Amino acid sequence: MKFVLALVVLLGIALGVAGIVLGEADDSPGLQLLGALLVIGAIGYGVRLVRRSG
């Protein structure tokens, strides 16, 4: 179960980084903001997951 949650966190970070990079090409601040929020949220969830598991 922890492996699946770790994959979800890594996938969220990867999608967020892709959103930031693709937002740079299109000059749309909205996509960059959503990508940054996704990365921040995934990192926060990952930290919470690690802290709860002990």
Side-chain angles (χ1 to χ4, degrees):
M1 182 68 179
K2 292 179 187 177
F3 179 73
V4 173
L5 293 176
L7 280 176
V8 168
V9 169
L10 289 176
L11 182 64
I13 292 172
L15 286 174
V17 169
I20 293 171
V21 170
L22 291 174
E24 283 281 332
D26 192 24
D27 195 28
S28 66
L31 184 58
Q32 291 174 348
L33 177 65
L34 288 174
L37 289 176
L38 186 60
V39 169
I40 292 168
I43 290 172
Y45 183 72
V47 168
R48 183 175 149 211
L49 183 68
V50 169
R51 289 184 62 139
R52 283 191 176 187
S53 69

Short mmCIF file of all heavy atoms in Angstrom, two decimals:
data_model
loop_
_atom_site.label_atom_id
_atom_site.label_comp_id
_atom_site.label_asym_id
_atom_site.label_seq_id
_atom_site.Cartn_x
_atom_site.Cartn_y
_atom_site.Cartn_z
N MET A 1 0.82 -1.19 0.00
CA MET A 1 0.00 0.00 0.00
C MET A 1 0.87 1.26 0.00
O MET A 1 0.56 2.21 -0.69
CB MET A 1 -0.92 -0.04 1.23
CG MET A 1 -1.86 1.10 1.33
SD MET A 1 -3.06 1.02 0.02
CE MET A 1 -4.03 2.43 0.39
N LYS A 2 1.95 1.23 0.79
CA LYS A 2 2.82 2.40 0.84
C LYS A 2 3.50 2.63 -0.50
O LYS A 2 3.74 3.77 -0.89
CB LYS A 2 3.88 2.23 1.93
CG LYS A 2 3.31 2.25 3.32
CD LYS A 2 4.39 2.05 4.35
CE LYS A 2 3.79 1.89 5.72
NZ LYS A 2 4.80 1.63 6.73
N PHE A 3 3.79 1.53 -1.21
CA PHE A 3 4.42 1.65 -2.52
C PHE A 3 3.50 2.37 -3.50
O PHE A 3 3.94 3.23 -4.27
CB PHE A 3 4.78 0.26 -3.04
CG PHE A 3 5.41 0.27 -4.39
CD1 PHE A 3 6.71 0.73 -4.55
CD2 PHE A 3 4.71 -0.17 -5.50
CE1 PHE A 3 7.30 0.74 -5.80
CE2 PHE A 3 5.29 -0.16 -6.75
CZ PHE A 3 6.59 0.30 -6.90
N VAL A 4 2.22 2.06 -3.45
CA VAL A 4 1.25 2.68 -4.36
C VAL A 4 1.12 4.17 -4.03
O VAL A 4 1.08 5.01 -4.94
CB VAL A 4 -0.12 1.97 -4.26
CG1 VAL A 4 -1.17 2.71 -5.05
CG2 VAL A 4 0.00 0.53 -4.71
N LEU A 5 1.07 4.51 -2.76
CA LEU A 5 0.97 5.92 -2.38
C LEU A 5 2.23 6.69 -2.76
O LEU A 5 2.15 7.85 -3.17
CB LEU A 5 0.70 6.03 -0.88
CG LEU A 5 -0.67 5.52 -0.42
CD1 LEU A 5 -0.78 5.60 1.09
CD2 LEU A 5 -1.78 6.30 -1.07
N ALA A 6 3.39 6.05 -2.66
CA ALA A 6 4.63 6.70 -3.08
C ALA A 6 4.61 6.94 -4.59
O ALA A 6 5.07 7.99 -5.06
CB ALA A 6 5.82 5.85 -2.69
N LEU A 7 4.07 6.00 -5.35
CA LEU A 7 3.96 6.20 -6.79
C LEU A 7 3.01 7.34 -7.13
O LEU A 7 3.26 8.11 -8.06
CB LEU A 7 3.48 4.91 -7.47
CG LEU A 7 4.53 3.85 -7.71
CD1 LEU A 7 3.90 2.60 -8.30
CD2 LEU A 7 5.61 4.36 -8.63
N VAL A 8 1.93 7.46 -6.37
CA VAL A 8 0.99 8.56 -6.59
C VAL A 8 1.67 9.90 -6.34
O VAL A 8 1.48 10.86 -7.10
CB VAL A 8 -0.26 8.39 -5.70
CG1 VAL A 8 -1.12 9.64 -5.69
CG2 VAL A 8 -1.07 7.19 -6.14
N VAL A 9 2.47 9.98 -5.28
CA VAL A 9 3.19 11.22 -4.98
C VAL A 9 4.18 11.54 -6.10
O VAL A 9 4.24 12.68 -6.57
CB VAL A 9 3.91 11.11 -3.62
CG1 VAL A 9 4.87 12.26 -3.41
CG2 VAL A 9 2.90 11.05 -2.49
N LEU A 10 4.94 10.55 -6.55
CA LEU A 10 5.90 10.79 -7.63
C LEU A 10 5.21 11.17 -8.94
O LEU A 10 5.69 12.02 -9.69
CB LEU A 10 6.77 9.56 -7.83
CG LEU A 10 7.78 9.28 -6.72
CD1 LEU A 10 8.52 7.98 -6.98
CD2 LEU A 10 8.75 10.43 -6.58
N LEU A 11 4.08 10.55 -9.21
CA LEU A 11 3.32 10.90 -10.41
C LEU A 11 2.79 12.33 -10.33
O LEU A 11 2.82 13.06 -11.32
CB LEU A 11 2.17 9.91 -10.61
CG LEU A 11 1.32 10.10 -11.85
CD1 LEU A 11 2.16 9.87 -13.10
CD2 LEU A 11 0.13 9.16 -11.83
N GLY A 12 2.34 12.73 -9.16
CA GLY A 12 1.87 14.10 -8.98
C GLY A 12 2.98 15.12 -9.20
O GLY A 12 2.77 16.15 -9.84
N ILE A 13 4.16 14.81 -8.69
CA ILE A 13 5.30 15.71 -8.89
C ILE A 13 5.67 15.77 -10.37
O ILE A 13 5.91 16.86 -10.91
CB ILE A 13 6.49 15.27 -8.01
CG1 ILE A 13 6.16 15.48 -6.54
CG2 ILE A 13 7.75 16.03 -8.40
CD1 ILE A 13 7.19 14.90 -5.59
N ALA A 14 5.69 14.63 -11.03
CA ALA A 14 6.05 14.60 -12.45
C ALA A 14 5.03 15.37 -13.29
O ALA A 14 5.41 16.12 -14.19
CB ALA A 14 6.16 13.16 -12.92
N LEU A 15 3.76 15.20 -13.00
CA LEU A 15 2.73 15.93 -13.76
C LEU A 15 2.81 17.43 -13.49
O LEU A 15 2.59 18.24 -14.39
CB LEU A 15 1.34 15.40 -13.41
CG LEU A 15 0.98 14.04 -13.99
CD1 LEU A 15 -0.37 13.58 -13.45
CD2 LEU A 15 0.95 14.10 -15.49
N GLY A 16 3.11 17.79 -12.25
CA GLY A 16 3.25 19.20 -11.93
C GLY A 16 4.42 19.84 -12.65
O GLY A 16 4.30 20.95 -13.18
N VAL A 17 5.54 19.15 -12.69
CA VAL A 17 6.71 19.67 -13.40
C VAL A 17 6.41 19.78 -14.89
O VAL A 17 6.78 20.76 -15.54
CB VAL A 17 7.95 18.78 -13.13
CG1 VAL A 17 9.08 19.15 -14.06
CG2 VAL A 17 8.37 18.91 -11.69
N ALA A 18 5.72 18.79 -15.44
CA ALA A 18 5.34 18.85 -16.86
C ALA A 18 4.42 20.03 -17.12
O ALA A 18 4.54 20.71 -18.14
CB ALA A 18 4.67 17.54 -17.28
N GLY A 19 3.50 20.30 -16.20
CA GLY A 19 2.61 21.45 -16.36
C GLY A 19 3.37 22.77 -16.33
O GLY A 19 3.06 23.69 -17.09
N ILE A 20 4.36 22.86 -15.46
CA ILE A 20 5.17 24.08 -15.39
C ILE A 20 5.95 24.27 -16.68
O ILE A 20 6.00 25.37 -17.24
CB ILE A 20 6.11 24.04 -14.16
CG1 ILE A 20 5.29 24.10 -12.87
CG2 ILE A 20 7.11 25.17 -14.21
CD1 ILE A 20 6.09 23.84 -11.62
N VAL A 21 6.56 23.20 -17.18
CA VAL A 21 7.36 23.29 -18.41
C VAL A 21 6.48 23.62 -19.60
O VAL A 21 6.81 24.48 -20.42
CB VAL A 21 8.14 21.98 -18.64
CG1 VAL A 21 8.77 21.94 -20.01
CG2 VAL A 21 9.19 21.80 -17.56
N LEU A 22 5.33 22.96 -19.72
CA LEU A 22 4.45 23.24 -20.84
C LEU A 22 3.81 24.63 -20.73
O LEU A 22 3.52 25.26 -21.74
CB LEU A 22 3.36 22.17 -20.94
CG LEU A 22 3.85 20.79 -21.36
CD1 LEU A 22 2.72 19.78 -21.28
CD2 LEU A 22 4.44 20.83 -22.75
N GLY A 23 3.60 25.10 -19.51
CA GLY A 23 3.09 26.45 -19.32
C GLY A 23 4.08 27.50 -19.76
O GLY A 23 3.69 28.58 -20.21
N GLU A 24 5.36 27.22 -19.64
CA GLU A 24 6.39 28.15 -20.12
C GLU A 24 6.30 28.32 -21.63
O GLU A 24 6.47 29.42 -22.15
CB GLU A 24 7.78 27.63 -19.77
CG GLU A 24 8.18 27.82 -18.34
CD GLU A 24 8.65 29.23 -18.05
OE1 GLU A 24 9.16 29.90 -18.97
OE2 GLU A 24 8.49 29.65 -16.91
N ALA A 25 6.05 27.25 -22.35
CA ALA A 25 6.03 27.30 -23.80
C ALA A 25 4.81 28.07 -24.31
O ALA A 25 4.88 28.74 -25.34
CB ALA A 25 6.02 25.89 -24.37
N ASP A 26 3.69 27.97 -23.60
CA ASP A 26 2.45 28.58 -24.07
C ASP A 26 2.24 29.98 -23.52
O ASP A 26 1.32 30.67 -23.93
CB ASP A 26 1.28 27.67 -23.67
CG ASP A 26 -0.01 28.06 -24.35
OD1 ASP A 26 0.06 28.70 -25.41
OD2 ASP A 26 -1.07 27.72 -23.82
N ASP A 27 3.07 30.42 -22.58
CA ASP A 27 2.96 31.73 -21.96
C ASP A 27 1.61 31.89 -21.23
O ASP A 27 0.96 32.92 -21.31
CB ASP A 27 3.17 32.84 -22.99
CG ASP A 27 3.41 34.18 -22.31
OD1 ASP A 27 3.93 34.18 -21.19
OD2 ASP A 27 3.08 35.22 -22.90
N SER A 28 1.19 30.82 -20.59
CA SER A 28 -0.04 30.89 -19.82
C SER A 28 0.28 30.73 -18.34
O SER A 28 0.75 29.68 -17.92
CB SER A 28 -1.01 29.79 -20.26
OG SER A 28 -0.49 28.54 -19.92
N PRO A 29 0.06 31.77 -17.56
CA PRO A 29 0.40 31.66 -16.14
C PRO A 29 -0.51 30.69 -15.38
O PRO A 29 -0.14 30.17 -14.33
CB PRO A 29 0.24 33.08 -15.62
CG PRO A 29 -0.69 33.73 -16.57
CD PRO A 29 -0.46 33.08 -17.90
N GLY A 30 -1.68 30.40 -15.91
CA GLY A 30 -2.60 29.50 -15.24
C GLY A 30 -2.08 28.08 -15.16
O GLY A 30 -2.16 27.43 -14.12
N LEU A 31 -1.52 27.59 -16.24
CA LEU A 31 -0.98 26.22 -16.26
C LEU A 31 0.24 26.12 -15.36
O LEU A 31 0.43 25.12 -14.68
CB LEU A 31 -0.65 25.80 -17.68
CG LEU A 31 -0.17 24.36 -17.88
CD1 LEU A 31 -1.21 23.38 -17.35
CD2 LEU A 31 0.12 24.09 -19.34
N GLN A 32 1.05 27.15 -15.34
CA GLN A 32 2.22 27.15 -14.47
C GLN A 32 1.79 27.14 -13.01
O GLN A 32 2.37 26.44 -12.19
CB GLN A 32 3.09 28.36 -14.74
CG GLN A 32 3.79 28.31 -16.07
CD GLN A 32 4.54 29.59 -16.36
OE1 GLN A 32 4.36 30.59 -15.69
NE2 GLN A 32 5.38 29.54 -17.38
N LEU A 33 0.76 27.92 -12.69
CA LEU A 33 0.26 27.96 -11.31
C LEU A 33 -0.31 26.62 -10.89
O LEU A 33 -0.03 26.13 -9.79
CB LEU A 33 -0.79 29.05 -11.16
CG LEU A 33 -1.44 29.17 -9.79
CD1 LEU A 33 -0.41 29.59 -8.75
CD2 LEU A 33 -2.60 30.12 -9.82
N LEU A 34 -1.09 26.00 -11.76
CA LEU A 34 -1.66 24.69 -11.44
C LEU A 34 -0.56 23.64 -11.27
O LEU A 34 -0.64 22.78 -10.39
CB LEU A 34 -2.64 24.25 -12.52
CG LEU A 34 -3.97 24.99 -12.55
CD1 LEU A 34 -4.78 24.55 -13.75
CD2 LEU A 34 -4.73 24.78 -11.26
N GLY A 35 0.46 23.70 -12.12
CA GLY A 35 1.57 22.78 -11.99
C GLY A 35 2.32 22.97 -10.68
O GLY A 35 2.67 22.01 -10.00
N ALA A 36 2.55 24.22 -10.31
CA ALA A 36 3.25 24.51 -9.05
C ALA A 36 2.41 24.05 -7.86
O ALA A 36 2.95 23.48 -6.90
CB ALA A 36 3.55 26.00 -8.95
N LEU A 37 1.11 24.29 -7.90
CA LEU A 37 0.24 23.84 -6.81
C LEU A 37 0.22 22.32 -6.71
O LEU A 37 0.18 21.76 -5.61
CB LEU A 37 -1.17 24.38 -7.00
CG LEU A 37 -1.36 25.87 -6.77
CD1 LEU A 37 -2.79 26.28 -7.10
CD2 LEU A 37 -1.01 26.25 -5.35
N LEU A 38 0.25 21.65 -7.84
CA LEU A 38 0.27 20.19 -7.84
C LEU A 38 1.57 19.66 -7.24
O LEU A 38 1.55 18.71 -6.44
CB LEU A 38 0.10 19.66 -9.27
CG LEU A 38 -0.06 18.16 -9.42
CD1 LEU A 38 -1.28 17.67 -8.66
CD2 LEU A 38 -0.19 17.81 -10.89
N VAL A 39 2.69 20.28 -7.58
CA VAL A 39 3.97 19.86 -7.01
C VAL A 39 4.00 20.10 -5.50
O VAL A 39 4.38 19.23 -4.72
CB VAL A 39 5.15 20.60 -7.70
CG1 VAL A 39 6.44 20.39 -6.94
CG2 VAL A 39 5.30 20.13 -9.13
N ILE A 40 3.55 21.28 -5.07
CA ILE A 40 3.54 21.61 -3.64
C ILE A 40 2.62 20.66 -2.88
O ILE A 40 2.96 20.17 -1.81
CB ILE A 40 3.14 23.07 -3.44
CG1 ILE A 40 4.24 23.99 -3.97
CG2 ILE A 40 2.85 23.37 -1.97
CD1 ILE A 40 3.83 25.44 -4.07
N GLY A 41 1.45 20.39 -3.45
CA GLY A 41 0.51 19.47 -2.80
C GLY A 41 1.04 18.05 -2.72
O GLY A 41 0.89 17.38 -1.69
N ALA A 42 1.69 17.59 -3.77
CA ALA A 42 2.25 16.24 -3.76
C ALA A 42 3.38 16.11 -2.76
O ALA A 42 3.49 15.10 -2.05
CB ALA A 42 2.74 15.86 -5.16
N ILE A 43 4.22 17.14 -2.67
CA ILE A 43 5.31 17.11 -1.69
C ILE A 43 4.74 17.13 -0.28
O ILE A 43 5.19 16.38 0.60
CB ILE A 43 6.28 18.27 -1.92
CG1 ILE A 43 7.07 18.04 -3.20
CG2 ILE A 43 7.24 18.44 -0.74
CD1 ILE A 43 7.92 19.20 -3.63
N GLY A 44 3.74 17.96 -0.06
CA GLY A 44 3.10 18.01 1.26
C GLY A 44 2.47 16.69 1.64
O GLY A 44 2.58 16.23 2.79
N TYR A 45 1.80 16.05 0.68
CA TYR A 45 1.19 14.75 0.95
C TYR A 45 2.26 13.69 1.22
O TYR A 45 2.09 12.85 2.09
CB TYR A 45 0.32 14.33 -0.23
CG TYR A 45 -0.40 13.03 -0.01
CD1 TYR A 45 -1.46 12.95 0.90
CD2 TYR A 45 -0.02 11.87 -0.67
CE1 TYR A 45 -2.11 11.76 1.11
CE2 TYR A 45 -0.66 10.68 -0.46
CZ TYR A 45 -1.71 10.63 0.43
OH TYR A 45 -2.35 9.44 0.65
N GLY A 46 3.36 13.76 0.48
CA GLY A 46 4.45 12.81 0.70
C GLY A 46 5.07 12.97 2.08
O GLY A 46 5.38 11.98 2.76
N VAL A 47 5.27 14.21 2.51
CA VAL A 47 5.83 14.46 3.85
C VAL A 47 4.87 13.94 4.91
O VAL A 47 5.28 13.31 5.88
CB VAL A 47 6.13 15.96 4.03
CG1 VAL A 47 6.42 16.29 5.48
CG2 VAL A 47 7.28 16.39 3.14
N ARG A 48 3.59 14.20 4.71
CA ARG A 48 2.58 13.73 5.67
C ARG A 48 2.57 12.19 5.74
O ARG A 48 2.45 11.60 6.81
CB ARG A 48 1.22 14.25 5.25
CG ARG A 48 0.11 13.89 6.18
CD ARG A 48 -1.17 14.55 5.74
NE ARG A 48 -2.27 13.70 6.10
CZ ARG A 48 -3.39 13.60 5.44
NH1 ARG A 48 -3.60 14.34 4.39
NH2 ARG A 48 -4.33 12.80 5.83
N LEU A 49 2.71 11.57 4.59
CA LEU A 49 2.72 10.11 4.52
C LEU A 49 3.93 9.54 5.27
O LEU A 49 3.80 8.57 6.02
CB LEU A 49 2.76 9.67 3.06
CG LEU A 49 2.71 8.20 2.74
CD1 LEU A 49 1.34 7.64 3.12
CD2 LEU A 49 2.98 7.98 1.28
N VAL A 50 5.08 10.15 5.09
CA VAL A 50 6.29 9.67 5.77
C VAL A 50 6.20 9.89 7.26
O VAL A 50 6.58 9.03 8.07
CB VAL A 50 7.54 10.38 5.18
CG1 VAL A 50 8.77 10.14 6.03
CG2 VAL A 50 7.77 9.91 3.76
N ARG A 51 5.68 11.02 7.68
CA ARG A 51 5.58 11.31 9.12
C ARG A 51 4.60 10.38 9.82
O ARG A 51 4.81 10.02 10.98
CB ARG A 51 5.17 12.77 9.34
CG ARG A 51 6.30 13.73 8.97
CD ARG A 51 5.90 15.12 9.29
NE ARG A 51 5.69 15.22 10.72
CZ ARG A 51 6.06 16.24 11.45
NH1 ARG A 51 6.67 17.24 10.90
NH2 ARG A 51 5.81 16.26 12.75
N ARG A 52 3.51 10.02 9.16
CA ARG A 52 2.53 9.13 9.77
C ARG A 52 3.00 7.68 9.83
O ARG A 52 2.57 6.92 10.68
CB ARG A 52 1.22 9.19 9.02
CG ARG A 52 0.42 10.43 9.32
CD ARG A 52 -0.95 10.31 8.77
NE ARG A 52 -1.73 11.48 9.16
CZ ARG A 52 -3.01 11.60 8.93
NH1 ARG A 52 -3.66 10.64 8.31
NH2 ARG A 52 -3.64 12.66 9.31
N SER A 53 3.86 7.29 8.88
CA SER A 53 4.28 5.89 8.85
C SER A 53 5.34 5.59 9.92
O SER A 53 5.60 4.43 10.20
CB SER A 53 4.82 5.54 7.46
OG SER A 53 6.04 6.19 7.22
N GLY A 54 5.92 6.62 10.45
CA GLY A 54 6.86 6.40 11.56
C GLY A 54 8.22 6.34 11.12
O GLY A 54 9.25 6.23 11.09
#
